[in-house]
Amino acid sequence: HAGQGAFPGIDASSVQLEPMESATMVGMDQMMSTGVQASGWTGTIWSGRAAAIAIDNHPAGALNWSCRPWRLLRLEWSCRLQLEPPGGAASAELTALPDGSLSFSQVEGRLPLAPLAAKLASGWSGWLELDLTGIEIRDRWPATASGSLFIRGLAGPQSDTAALGDFELVLDAGSVGTGSLGGRLRDLGGPLQLRATVELDRDRSWQLSGEVAPGPGASATLFDGMAWLGAPDHAGRRSFTVEGRL
């Protein structure tokens, strides 16, 4: 049974049904096992706030939650989450199941891109807009994802590449039988024209491949940066493949 020290405001005797309590603890344990650390707890396990959370040791801001006790009758831990990182906001519906999986739905928000991109490439800025219908986490990894991610006002490290435009990534399944995630990336207008596919494997390796071309207002630096891809085709497009590991 959880006591006041573990989760502020909770009286262990207030939960009488073992299946209910078990499902609740499973939900909390699953959240913590996904690499989430929290501090500054206020409220209760049903409705409260953590003043600061970190995901895999990366600060992510404050987290508010509002849970639905009646869903425990179905052995599900279900909550509405609201994340408040510096300069942004995001929300989602979370369902934790006894098999250890976490399901997020109605994932929406707007987050500054720079902190998210720092691990891959520093100096990039813009905004990440979330419009995801669902994400399922198994074994601390996204097993499935659907919906769209939008990158708005993407700007590179160099001042003369400040306007690269807006982009959309539509998520779906990756290669059949691999357990990977895939997506289709395209520009929404701007100096960089882009069509590409993205694939993320369970071993955290990723590959981005497609075609790029300069669009209206492309800078000289952007033209020069594309030169290393080789000669363009008759339509001015250049093929590329980039891969790495998270």
Side-chain angles (χ1 to χ4, degrees):
H1 293 264
Q4 295 281 354
F7 303 105
I10 299 175
D11 180 356
S13 65
S14 66
V15 182
Q16 299 295 327
L17 297 179
E18 285 297 330
M20 285 178 136
E21 182 178 283
S22 175
T24 304
M25 292 301 101
V26 165
M28 293 302 297
D29 288 344
Q30 287 165 219
M31 282 291 291
M32 298 302 109
S33 69
T34 57
V36 178
Q37 303 90 40
S39 61
W41 294 71
T42 57
T44 71
I45 198 172
W46 309 113
S47 179
R49 175 182 176 88
I53 70 166
I55 302 174
D56 288 334
N57 297 318
H58 297 287
L63 178 68
N64 298 284
W65 63 89
S66 178
C67 301
R68 308 172 182 86
W70 66 268
R71 292 286 292 271
L72 295 177
L73 293 172
R74 297 164 52 181
L75 298 185
E76 295 179 354
W77 188 61
S78 176
C79 300
R80 179 70 176 174
L81 305 180
Q82 291 182 304
L83 182 65
E84 300 172 356
S91 62
E93 296 285 339
L94 166 66
T95 300
L97 300 175
D99 65 1
S101 63
L102 295 174
S103 178
F104 295 87
S105 61
Q106 301 177 40
V107 182
E108 301 173 344
R110 179 178 170 89
L111 307 171
L113 185 62
L116 302 173
K119 187 176 180 179
L120 297 176
S122 61
W124 290 84
S125 61
W127 291 91
L128 177 65
E129 294 182 359
L130 311 174
D131 187 13
L132 300 174
T133 54
I135 305 174
E136 185 172 350
I137 306 295
R138 298 176 188 166
D139 299 324
R140 297 187 61 179
W141 191 250
T144 62
S146 59
S148 295
L149 301 174
F150 297 90
I151 299 175
R152 305 289 188 185
L154 181 64
Q158 301 178 11
S159 60
D160 56 356
T161 60
L164 293 179
D166 298 342
F167 303 87
E168 179 187 18
L169 174 62
V170 179
L171 297 172
D172 52 28
S175 300
V176 176
T178 65
S180 63
L181 291 178
R184 303 180 305 279
L185 181 63
R186 68 184 183 102
D187 70 274
L188 299 176
L192 179 62
Q193 296 180 351
L194 171 66
R195 292 290 186 276
T197 58
V198 182
E199 189 147 321
L200 176 63
D201 290 329
R202 289 188 60 85
D203 63 1
R204 294 182 177 268
S205 63
W206 57 269
Q207 183 180 85
L208 174 67
S209 59
E211 297 178 335
V212 293
S219 66
T221 300
L222 185 57
F223 274 94
D224 293 342
M226 291 184 183
W228 67 274
L229 295 175
D233 63 15
H234 66 281
R237 297 183 295 259
R238 290 177 168 89
S239 299
F240 72 94
T241 298
V242 183
E243 39 187 41
R245 188 178 298 273
L246 297 177

